[in-house]
Every structure is written in C-alpha cells, then in structure tokens.
Amino acid sequence: MNLAPSESARNYFNRLLKTPSVVGIPFLDGSVGEIIEFYGSSGSGKTELLMHAAVSWASPLQAGGGQRRAVIFDNEFRLCLPRLQAIVQARLSNQKDCDETLNRIAIIRCQTTLEFLAAIQIVAKRDGDHTKAENQSMLFLIDSLAAFFWREDKLAAENLGPPSLSPAIFRALIRLVREDQTLVLAAKPILFKKRTTKSMHNTYSGGEAKYQQPHDDILSNKEEEDDEQGHTAKRQKKLLNNLSSQIEMRSIHQEYMPTEWTKLIKRRVELEAFGPRFQARLFHVARRDLPPNLW
C-alpha cells in the first residue's frame, strides 16, 4: 500500500491495518482501495455477483461478513429488490440480522452523469467520516458503466451533445480509492465484439501462457512408426489437449471506455453464461505506461 502525499504515519498504519474486506468472491476477498471490472454480456451474472458482494460486505461479523456499509448505484434501473432480499435471507437465518444487513445496503438510481457525480460526492461526504472513525472501508457497486455511454458519452465525443461528466466521475472515484481505500466493483456490459486476435492467458495469474499446441504432422509421423508409439502419441496429445483446456483462457474484452477509466483498472473479471450457469475468469491488466503511484 502506497503512502499518500502529506500523510502521517498514524493514518498510514490505520489504513494498513484495516479489517480485510469480504465480498464473498474468493479471489477478490481482501481487496481494498481498488477498482475492479465485471465484464460480460447481458445475463452473464454481473448484477448477481454485485448483489452477493454487497450482502457479504454488509452481513454481520458472526455470519462471516464484513458488517460495513455498501452502496449500489443502480444506473440501469434493473436491480431486483426481491432477489436482493432473497440472497440475504438465504445467507442469514436471524430476521434481525437480515434487517440490519439490508439497512447497511444503500441503493441509489441515477439518470444522468450529473446525478451520478452528485450522488458519489454526497455519499462520500455523509459516510466518509463515519467509516474513517470506525477504521473501515466503503464498498461502491456500479451497475453499470455503460448506462450513460450512448446517451451522453458518445454524443459528447462526437460534439452532438453537452460535455459528459464521466471524467469528473472517474476522478471522484480514484480520490475515494486512494484516500479512503474504497473498493469499487463496476459492471461493464459488452457493447462491441472483440476485434483483436484471441490471446492465451494463465488462469491464475492472468499472464501470457507459454504452452503451445504440438503440430499434428509430428504426431502423425510418430504414429506411423509402430502401433505402440502411436498409442503413446495419442495419449500424449489427449493429455496436452486437457492441459490446454485448463490453461488457455481467451479474453473476450473489447475496450470502449475512455483512457481516464482504463488507467484505473488493474483487475478485470470476465463472465460468460453457459445455460443456467456462468463462468468467471480473472485477468490482471498490465499498465506499464503508468507511474507506480497509480498502482
């Protein structure tokens, strides 16, 4: 964790020793002071994961939660309140704990970037002092980043409408992340198909995989030597294909957000729906062109 400008040692260690965050997602638990994207098509589980994260964050400590305040910015107006209540009731058996958990989750709906910016600043001012006094972090959940893309951002970029306030929103979020160690989880829907070639990534670290598929002609030559070596080659090819299916992870991400936003992202969770189930894959976004204080 970096030392903020003009920060005392006491404040630094207070931030450093904060209770680890609990969002109910194993590879994201412990995250703090970061912005993480949830990227996927409609129906891939982005909103569902955000609701589960909010419930885990707000649940009582004795139930394995964080017992903290969470704010959901429902800019798409799609959040299902009965579903949120059902998640809380499935996690907690005590009705009092359910009510307290729901009271810790605030839901704000914004129709414009102006309303969104004002809501962020009001919540930061209202809850910031309270969370600092209790040495806790806030959780912001944004559903979704593309809510104002066609209505404001795209029109402003083509000089067909008034300037968008999205850059100011990004600056407000990064200020909260740096100063208050706020954790931001943002849903980002697919708007455009990926134009680049498919790349291979390591399932655990998000780095480039070094595995390369063997050439079929080499295997066929081995098979022609004798039947025993042929069976061995087939078994090796099957094992390598199984290994490839475990290691290979092709990114489906196609960026459409401005540079001000992409510079803030270090990790991205890509979601794909497979019938009633969905698959989540974590990517570490390398930004070698950024100074260390933005990491």
Side-chain angles (χ1 to χ4, degrees):
M1 184 181 295
N2 296 328
L3 184 66
S6 303
E7 183 178 25
S8 66
R10 180 177 181 177
N11 291 337
Y12 172 74
F13 284 108
N14 281 338
R15 292 196 295 115
L16 189 65
L17 298 176
K18 283 183 177 180
T19 306
S21 60
V22 180
V23 294
I25 304 173
F27 52 82
L28 295 183
D29 277 342
S31 303
V32 69
E34 186 179 356
I35 301 177
I36 302 173
E37 285 185 350
F38 286 76
Y39 181 80
S41 60
S42 177
S44 59
K46 299 186 299 297
T47 303
E48 182 76 8
L49 280 179
L50 293 183
M51 288 192 292
H52 277 277
V55 172
S56 297
W57 188 274
S59 295
L61 295 175
Q62 61 270 21
Q67 198 167 327
R68 306 176 184 180
R69 298 184 181 183
V71 182
I72 303 177
F73 294 95
D74 182 26
N75 299 334
E76 297 273 1
F77 288 76
R78 294 181 179 179
L79 185 69
C80 181
L81 295 180
R83 176 55 186 162
L84 179 63
Q85 186 176 11
I87 294 174
V88 174
Q89 292 175 346
R91 184 184 181 98
L92 305 172
S93 57
N94 190 322
Q95 185 60 40
K96 180 181 178 181
D97 291 341
C98 291
D99 295 339
E100 291 178 353
T101 298
L102 289 172
N103 288 334
R104 295 188 191 101
I105 302 175
I107 300 175
I108 302 175
R109 288 171 170 160
C110 307
Q111 296 183 345
T112 64
T113 54
L114 177 60
E115 292 181 4
F116 191 18
L117 177 61
I120 292 174
Q121 294 176 340
I122 291 173
V123 172
K125 181 65 175 177
R126 184 191 66 184
D127 296 343
D129 296 337
H130 177 76
T131 54
K132 287 180 181 179
E134 296 185 357
N135 200 27
Q136 295 181 352
S137 301
M138 288 190 295
L139 174 65
F140 279 13
L141 304 112
I142 304 173
D143 191 14
S144 71
L145 289 174
F148 312 110
F149 180 80
W150 296 111
R151 288 182 289 169
E152 296 189 33
D153 297 341
K154 189 67 173 177
L155 294 178
E158 297 178 356
N159 296 322
L160 298 176
S164 173
L165 294 177
S166 291
I169 292 172
F170 303 154
R171 290 192 295 270
L173 289 175
I174 194 59
R175 186 163 53 249
L176 289 172
V177 167
R178 288 180 180 175
E179 298 178 1
D180 301 334
Q181 292 299 293
T182 301
L183 177 62
V184 179
L185 305 181
K188 181 179 178 183
I190 296 177
L191 297 185
F192 306 97
K193 291 184 178 180
K194 185 175 177 62
R195 296 190 297 266
T196 57
T197 57
K198 293 180 179 179
S199 59
M200 295 179 63
H201 296 267
N202 185 289
T203 304
Y204 302 100
S205 66
E208 294 183 359
K210 302 300 182 182
Y211 173 76
Q212 184 175 358
Q213 195 71 264
H215 296 290
D216 292 336
D217 55 347
I218 297 178
L219 292 179
S220 62
N221 291 335
K222 292 182 178 180
E223 293 172 4
E224 292 176 357
E225 292 180 3
D226 54 51
D227 293 339
E228 183 177 354
Q229 292 183 357
H231 288 300
T232 302
K234 288 181 180 179
R235 287 196 298 270
Q236 291 177 349
K237 184 177 180 180
K238 184 177 180 180
L239 290 174
L240 290 174
N241 287 336
N242 292 336
L243 178 63
S244 174
S245 64
Q246 295 175 9
I247 293 180
E248 184 177 4
M249 184 167 62
R250 296 182 175 90
S251 174
I252 60 174
H253 180 257
Q254 176 62 50
E255 189 59 74
Y256 55 84
M257 297 295 290
T259 308
E260 293 87 349
W261 175 261
T262 58
K263 287 182 178 180
L264 309 179
I265 305 303
K266 292 190 295 183
R267 292 191 290 174
R268 177 183 301 115
V269 179
E270 296 188 3
L271 303 167
E272 283 191 276
F274 298 95
R277 310 185 68 170
F278 64 88
Q279 181 184 43
R281 300 172 298 188
L282 177 65
F283 284 79
H284 291 256
V285 183
R287 299 290 303 181
R288 297 182 178 88
D289 56 328
L290 295 181
N293 62 343
L294 286 182
W295 281 84

PDB file of all heavy atoms in Angstrom, residues 2 25 45 112 114 148 154 165 208 220 239 262:
ATOM      1  N   ASN A   2       0.641   2.167  -0.931  1.00  0.00           N
ATOM      2  CA  ASN A   2       1.483   3.343  -1.066  1.00  0.00           C
ATOM      3  C   ASN A   2       1.142   4.403  -0.025  1.00  0.00           C
ATOM      4  O   ASN A   2      -0.007   4.531   0.404  1.00  0.00           O
ATOM      5  CB  ASN A   2       1.329   3.948  -2.466  1.00  0.00           C
ATOM      6  CG  ASN A   2       1.821   2.996  -3.543  1.00  0.00           C
ATOM      7  OD1 ASN A   2       2.750   2.231  -3.307  1.00  0.00           O
ATOM      8  ND2 ASN A   2       1.195   3.041  -4.704  1.00  0.00           N
ATOM      9  N   ILE A  25     -16.369 -13.371  -2.853  1.00  0.00           N
ATOM     10  CA  ILE A  25     -15.774 -13.920  -4.069  1.00  0.00           C
ATOM     11  C   ILE A  25     -14.334 -14.289  -3.709  1.00  0.00           C
ATOM     12  O   ILE A  25     -13.531 -13.397  -3.422  1.00  0.00           O
ATOM     13  CB  ILE A  25     -15.808 -12.907  -5.221  1.00  0.00           C
ATOM     14  CG1 ILE A  25     -17.258 -12.455  -5.467  1.00  0.00           C
ATOM     15  CG2 ILE A  25     -15.228 -13.514  -6.496  1.00  0.00           C
ATOM     16  CD1 ILE A  25     -17.373 -11.322  -6.470  1.00  0.00           C
ATOM     17  N   GLY A  45     -24.350 -12.709 -15.311  1.00  0.00           N
ATOM     18  CA  GLY A  45     -24.240 -12.771 -13.864  1.00  0.00           C
ATOM     19  C   GLY A  45     -23.570 -11.582 -13.211  1.00  0.00           C
ATOM     20  O   GLY A  45     -23.210 -11.642 -12.031  1.00  0.00           O
ATOM     21  N   THR A 112     -28.571  10.576 -14.990  1.00  0.00           N
ATOM     22  CA  THR A 112     -27.588  11.341 -15.760  1.00  0.00           C
ATOM     23  C   THR A 112     -26.240  11.272 -15.046  1.00  0.00           C
ATOM     24  O   THR A 112     -26.151  10.901 -13.870  1.00  0.00           O
ATOM     25  CB  THR A 112     -28.003  12.813 -15.909  1.00  0.00           C
ATOM     26  OG1 THR A 112     -28.030  13.433 -14.604  1.00  0.00           O
ATOM     27  CG2 THR A 112     -29.383  12.931 -16.552  1.00  0.00           C
ATOM     28  N   LEU A 114     -24.584  13.833 -14.205  1.00  0.00           N
ATOM     29  CA  LEU A 114     -24.620  14.860 -13.173  1.00  0.00           C
ATOM     30  C   LEU A 114     -25.164  14.278 -11.866  1.00  0.00           C
ATOM     31  O   LEU A 114     -24.607  14.510 -10.779  1.00  0.00           O
ATOM     32  CB  LEU A 114     -25.462  16.046 -13.626  1.00  0.00           C
ATOM     33  CG  LEU A 114     -25.647  17.176 -12.597  1.00  0.00           C
ATOM     34  CD1 LEU A 114     -24.299  17.757 -12.196  1.00  0.00           C
ATOM     35  CD2 LEU A 114     -26.569  18.263 -13.160  1.00  0.00           C
ATOM     36  N   PHE A 148     -24.582   5.442 -19.321  1.00  0.00           N
ATOM     37  CA  PHE A 148     -24.631   6.765 -19.953  1.00  0.00           C
ATOM     38  C   PHE A 148     -23.787   6.827 -21.228  1.00  0.00           C
ATOM     39  O   PHE A 148     -23.528   7.919 -21.729  1.00  0.00           O
ATOM     40  CB  PHE A 148     -24.133   7.826 -18.959  1.00  0.00           C
ATOM     41  CG  PHE A 148     -24.746   7.708 -17.595  1.00  0.00           C
ATOM     42  CD1 PHE A 148     -23.990   7.287 -16.512  1.00  0.00           C
ATOM     43  CD2 PHE A 148     -26.088   7.987 -17.392  1.00  0.00           C
ATOM     44  CE1 PHE A 148     -24.545   7.159 -15.252  1.00  0.00           C
ATOM     45  CE2 PHE A 148     -26.654   7.868 -16.145  1.00  0.00           C
ATOM     46  CZ  PHE A 148     -25.889   7.448 -15.069  1.00  0.00           C
ATOM     47  N   LYS A 154     -21.100   9.138 -25.813  1.00  0.00           N
ATOM     48  CA  LYS A 154     -20.925   9.036 -27.263  1.00  0.00           C
ATOM     49  C   LYS A 154     -21.309  10.341 -27.950  1.00  0.00           C
ATOM     50  O   LYS A 154     -20.617  10.797 -28.874  1.00  0.00           O
ATOM     51  CB  LYS A 154     -21.785   7.884 -27.797  1.00  0.00           C
ATOM     52  CG  LYS A 154     -21.532   7.532 -29.249  1.00  0.00           C
ATOM     53  CD  LYS A 154     -20.154   6.961 -29.450  1.00  0.00           C
ATOM     54  CE  LYS A 154     -19.979   6.455 -30.879  1.00  0.00           C
ATOM     55  NZ  LYS A 154     -18.601   5.953 -31.119  1.00  0.00           N
ATOM     56  N   LEU A 165     -19.933  14.330 -17.973  1.00  0.00           N
ATOM     57  CA  LEU A 165     -19.263  14.465 -16.684  1.00  0.00           C
ATOM     58  C   LEU A 165     -18.551  13.180 -16.263  1.00  0.00           C
ATOM     59  O   LEU A 165     -18.100  13.074 -15.120  1.00  0.00           O
ATOM     60  CB  LEU A 165     -20.264  14.871 -15.609  1.00  0.00           C
ATOM     61  CG  LEU A 165     -20.888  16.257 -15.758  1.00  0.00           C
ATOM     62  CD1 LEU A 165     -21.906  16.510 -14.668  1.00  0.00           C
ATOM     63  CD2 LEU A 165     -19.808  17.335 -15.724  1.00  0.00           C
ATOM     64  N   GLU A 208       0.634 -14.184 -19.862  1.00  0.00           N
ATOM     65  CA  GLU A 208       0.601 -14.940 -21.092  1.00  0.00           C
ATOM     66  C   GLU A 208       1.076 -16.364 -20.850  1.00  0.00           C
ATOM     67  O   GLU A 208       2.086 -16.603 -20.206  1.00  0.00           O
ATOM     68  CB  GLU A 208       1.471 -14.270 -22.152  1.00  0.00           C
ATOM     69  CG  GLU A 208       0.949 -12.908 -22.587  1.00  0.00           C
ATOM     70  CD  GLU A 208       1.791 -12.325 -23.678  1.00  0.00           C
ATOM     71  OE1 GLU A 208       2.779 -12.978 -24.054  1.00  0.00           O
ATOM     72  OE2 GLU A 208       1.460 -11.229 -24.147  1.00  0.00           O
ATOM     73  N   SER A 220       1.581 -37.454 -36.248  1.00  0.00           N
ATOM     74  CA  SER A 220       1.250 -38.461 -37.249  1.00  0.00           C
ATOM     75  C   SER A 220       2.477 -39.259 -37.658  1.00  0.00           C
ATOM     76  O   SER A 220       2.395 -40.455 -37.915  1.00  0.00           O
ATOM     77  CB  SER A 220       0.605 -37.790 -38.465  1.00  0.00           C
ATOM     78  OG  SER A 220       1.520 -36.884 -39.052  1.00  0.00           O
ATOM     79  N   LEU A 239      -3.565 -35.729 -23.323  1.00  0.00           N
ATOM     80  CA  LEU A 239      -3.162 -35.049 -22.104  1.00  0.00           C
ATOM     81  C   LEU A 239      -2.850 -33.583 -22.354  1.00  0.00           C
ATOM     82  O   LEU A 239      -3.206 -32.699 -21.568  1.00  0.00           O
ATOM     83  CB  LEU A 239      -1.938 -35.745 -21.493  1.00  0.00           C
ATOM     84  CG  LEU A 239      -2.185 -37.130 -20.889  1.00  0.00           C
ATOM     85  CD1 LEU A 239      -0.868 -37.759 -20.464  1.00  0.00           C
ATOM     86  CD2 LEU A 239      -3.135 -37.028 -19.709  1.00  0.00           C
ATOM     87  N   THR A 262      -9.650   3.481 -18.142  1.00  0.00           N
ATOM     88  CA  THR A 262      -8.808   2.295 -18.314  1.00  0.00           C
ATOM     89  C   THR A 262      -7.532   2.372 -17.486  1.00  0.00           C
ATOM     90  O   THR A 262      -6.974   1.344 -17.089  1.00  0.00           O
ATOM     91  CB  THR A 262      -8.446   2.110 -19.796  1.00  0.00           C
ATOM     92  OG1 THR A 262      -7.776   3.282 -20.279  1.00  0.00           O
ATOM     93  CG2 THR A 262      -9.704   1.904 -20.629  1.00  0.00           C
TER      94      THR A 262
END
